[in-house]
Amino acid sequence: MRCPYCKHKDSRVVDTSSDARGGVRRRRECQNCGQRFSTFERPLLASPLIIKQDGTREEFDRDKLIRGIRISCAKRPVSGTVIDRMVGEIESALQAMGRSEVSSRVVGDMVIAGLKDLDLIAYIRYAIVYLGLDDLGAIRDEINRLLEG
Ligand SMILES: [Zn+2]
């Protein structure tokens, strides 16, 4: 494993541990500059293709999903770690479905459900964009639903 600090190509494993989801974490030390870093290995399961609203398919893009959620969470007390974890859970849920294709709506609904638990302002922002709440009446109805619930 190449050192991320000095790009030296040899590093020494100083510690190995496993995590609950079957991954292996290795703590490494660069043999050139002595910096330590970790690598994480886990089995790669296939995520289903995402069917977009226009009928085209695309690969599940974890980073794109994270970006969208981060925008909704701007200036809200939601940490990047929490967002990463949520997207990780969504990805696992998609893989666990064992399907080759899944509608983008399924992914959107999972994000919506996750944000609803996390932060209602972020949830409303996401809903406006992804549920297409494009008029004030629809947005007001959704906010009223939240206030009543
Ligand atoms: Zn190094």
Side-chain angles (χ1 to χ4, degrees), residues 3 5-8 30 32-35:
C3 171
Y5 300 97
C6 72
K7 310 296 179 209
H8 184 71
C30 175
N32 179 49
C33 71
Q35 287 271 22

Side-chain angles (χ1 to χ4, degrees), residues 6-96:
C6 72
K7 310 296 179 209
H8 184 71
K9 67 177 181 6
D10 291 313
S11 58
R12 193 169 68 85
V13 175
V14 293
D15 187 39
T16 303
S17 57
S18 54
D19 84 334
R21 288 170 62 197
V24 177
R25 185 186 149 102
R26 292 195 173 83
R27 191 110 178 90
R28 294 169 180 272
E29 188 179 272
C30 175
Q31 293 184 314
N32 179 49
C33 71
Q35 287 271 22
R36 290 192 168 190
F37 56 97
S38 294
T39 55
F40 190 67
E41 217 177 276
R42 70 170 179 221
L44 207 55
L45 300 172
S47 291
L49 280 180
I50 305 303
I51 310 167
K52 298 201 290 181
Q53 271 166 16
D54 64 5
T56 59
R57 270 77 168 157
E58 66 179 13
E59 297 282 341
F60 175 77
D61 186 341
R62 187 191 163 90
D63 293 333
K64 188 172 147 193
L65 195 57
I66 288 176
R67 276 196 302 278
I69 297 171
R70 279 208 180 130
I71 290 168
S72 303
C73 293
K75 308 228 165 121
R76 298 299 305 162
V78 180
S79 72
T81 314
V82 168
I83 295 173
D84 283 357
R85 194 188 313 137
M86 183 168 105
V87 170
E89 283 166 6
I90 288 172
E91 193 173 13
S92 300
L94 289 173
Q95 290 166 348

Side-chain angles (χ1 to χ4, degrees), residues 69-129:
I69 297 171
R70 279 208 180 130
I71 290 168
S72 303
C73 293
K75 308 228 165 121
R76 298 299 305 162
V78 180
S79 72
T81 314
V82 168
I83 295 173
D84 283 357
R85 194 188 313 137
M86 183 168 105
V87 170
E89 283 166 6
I90 288 172
E91 193 173 13
S92 300
L94 289 173
Q95 290 166 348
M97 292 169 105
R99 285 160 55 181
S100 59
E101 297 183 331
V102 162
S103 160
S104 63
R105 218 19 227 276
V106 171
V107 182
D109 287 351
M110 288 179 183
V111 175
I112 292 283
L115 284 178
K116 215 167 183 171
D117 288 340
L118 224 52
D119 186 277
L120 290 178
I121 300 296
Y123 159 75
I124 282 291
R125 287 176 179 158
Y126 199 88
I128 287 169
V129 177

